[in-house]
Amino acid sequence: MSVIKSFAVGHGDMFYIRHGSDNFSIIDCNLNDENADRIIEELKAQSADKGISRFICTHPDQDHFGGIERLDDAMPIINFYCVKNQAIKDPETESFKRYCKLRDADKAFHISKGCTRKWMNKEGDGRGSAGINILWPDTENEHFKEALASCDAGESLNNTSAVIRYSLNGGASFMWLGDLETDFMENITDSINLQKTTVVVAAHHGRDSGKIPNSWLEKLDPQFIIIGEAPSRHLNYYTGYNIFTQNKAGDLTFDLVDDKVHVYASKEGYSHKKLTDEGHSAFEGYVGSFTVETEYTL
């Protein structure tokens, strides 16, 4: 059993995975005066019995590492994963300064397509794998090289985002796309290994600018897509697909048990017609459950 939580943190991203193995992963953060204490308290509680914790930053943009200094001070980040870059910002925020300190530390692990690391996706020394695989970036790809040059020049950062996939044997799979832009995704369709994925977090918080192209959706065939928080006029609601919208749901918690996913939401009264009531109560705000599909439906 594992638990994945998507925090509603405004115009930003923050997730954690409480793995069934001895692993705990945080993907991105966007902490501020209003949410930091509550979220950090939960992260401490959920990771307390785990031997390995890691922080993965999809790309060096403020709404994906905002408040990382608060997190690092409260529960020191020992394992920091990011795409290798030399991004610059003017002016530099305290969060960016801490990001750079972690990024440039000797122990930072730079993620790229197909990379392996003990306990991220390899077992060892009596501890199981976290089930996390990095599908992108391909650091030799010309499109990525252009994006990285733009990032390092202090220009656009979005297309340096990592594509991260988490999967359980026989169970659910989740995918994160950071803030990849639609045109960029289309350009690399033939250079990335996409496969059926249970839940996909829409790129760029679900904005039109990060609309997942049909060439990807056909390969991913997601059961659900998570749309982050942003003004509705900027969002793409993926007609024809089942979606969770965090504007309405708030925090979303996914309890993964065998081939089932039990869904909880923090906003009272949130409902979803594609979920079945199986009467679960592991967390507050039970919405319903669904069975993981293993065959393509398209």
Side-chain angles (χ1 to χ4, degrees), residues 123-136:
E123 299 180 354
D125 302 331
R127 178 178 286 117
S129 162
I132 293 174
N133 287 286
I134 309 302
L135 306 189
W136 191 262

Side-chain angles (χ1 to χ4, degrees), residues 60-296:
D61 214 348
Q62 181 72 24
D63 57 352
H64 291 258
F65 60 66
I68 195 170
E69 72 280 6
R70 301 172 187 252
L71 181 64
D72 191 29
D73 289 345
M75 43 186 303
I77 298 171
I78 299 172
N79 298 298
F80 183 77
Y81 297 12
C82 68
V83 174
K84 188 175 183 179
N85 69 84
Q86 290 298 317
I88 56 175
K89 288 183 181 289
D90 185 20
E92 293 185 342
T93 64
E94 289 304 312
S95 296
F96 183 66
K97 291 176 183 177
R98 186 65 61 91
Y99 168 87
C100 290
K101 181 179 179 180
L102 292 163
R103 177 196 68 187
D104 298 336
D106 291 340
K107 292 185 178 180
F109 179 65
H110 296 136
I111 55 177
S112 61
K113 179 180 179 179
C115 65
T116 60
R117 187 169 173 84
K118 189 177 285 186
W119 308 315
M120 179 181 80
N121 47 29
K122 295 177 67 177
E123 299 180 354
D125 302 331
R127 178 178 286 117
S129 162
I132 293 174
N133 287 286
I134 309 302
L135 306 189
W136 191 262
D138 177 349
T139 57
E140 297 303 314
N141 180 275
E142 291 303 317
H143 297 292
F144 174 72
K145 288 181 178 180
E146 291 177 8
L148 183 61
S150 178
C151 168
D152 290 352
E155 299 167 357
S156 177
L157 307 165
N158 291 344
N159 289 327
T160 60
S161 295
V163 176
I164 301 163
R165 190 174 189 271
Y166 165 72
S167 62
L168 287 172
N169 291 332
S173 54
F174 279 65
M175 182 176 288
W176 291 264
L177 306 175
D179 281 355
L180 288 179
E181 297 169 1
T182 303
D183 290 348
F184 185 85
M185 286 187 274
E186 289 177 335
N187 286 335
I188 67 168
T189 299
D190 295 331
S191 302
I192 184 170
N193 181 24
L194 301 171
Q195 56 186 299
K196 184 170 177 60
T197 300
T198 311
V199 178
V200 175
V201 180
H204 211 183
H205 325 296
R207 292 171 180 263
D208 268 325
S209 56
K211 165 68 169 63
I212 305 170
N214 290 335
S215 57
W216 282 45
L217 290 171
E218 289 172 0
K219 295 180 179 181
L220 294 172
D221 189 24
Q223 279 183 257
F224 290 89
I225 298 173
I226 298 176
I227 309 296
E229 288 188 297
S232 295
R233 65 184 180 277
H234 297 316
L235 296 176
N236 187 296
Y237 289 98
Y238 291 91
T239 301
Y241 289 89
N242 300 320
I243 62 172
F244 296 111
T245 55
Q246 293 205 265
N247 281 344
K248 294 181 179 179
D251 297 344
L252 283 164
T253 302
F254 302 90
D255 191 13
L256 282 54
V257 183
D258 299 324
D259 66 343
K260 291 282 189 177
V261 178
H262 310 301
V263 184
Y264 300 79
S266 65
K267 286 193 177 180
E268 187 175 353
Y270 178 73
S271 63
H272 201 297
K273 64 182 180 181
K274 293 296 183 179
L275 301 180
T276 302
D277 186 355
E278 296 184 359
H280 290 276
S281 58
F283 304 93
E284 294 183 1
Y286 177 64
V287 180
S289 305
F290 66 92
T291 301
V292 175
E293 294 175 349
T294 58
E295 302 294 331
Y296 275 83

Side-chain angles (χ1 to χ4, degrees), residues 18-81:
R18 177 179 162 81
H19 300 269
S21 58
D22 191 27
N23 284 266
F24 187 82
S25 302
I26 302 170
I27 301 176
D28 288 338
C29 69
N30 193 32
L31 299 170
N32 54 46
D33 290 341
E34 294 181 359
N35 64 24
D37 289 346
R38 170 181 64 86
I39 290 176
I40 291 173
E41 181 180 0
E42 180 170 343
L43 293 173
K44 284 183 173 181
Q46 292 296 321
S47 64
D49 62 341
K50 298 297 185 182
I52 296 294
S53 293
R54 64 182 61 79
F55 183 96
I56 308 174
C57 188
T58 57
H59 66 294
D61 214 348
Q62 181 72 24
D63 57 352
H64 291 258
F65 60 66
I68 195 170
E69 72 280 6
R70 301 172 187 252
L71 181 64
D72 191 29
D73 289 345
M75 43 186 303
I77 298 171
I78 299 172
N79 298 298
F80 183 77
Y81 297 12

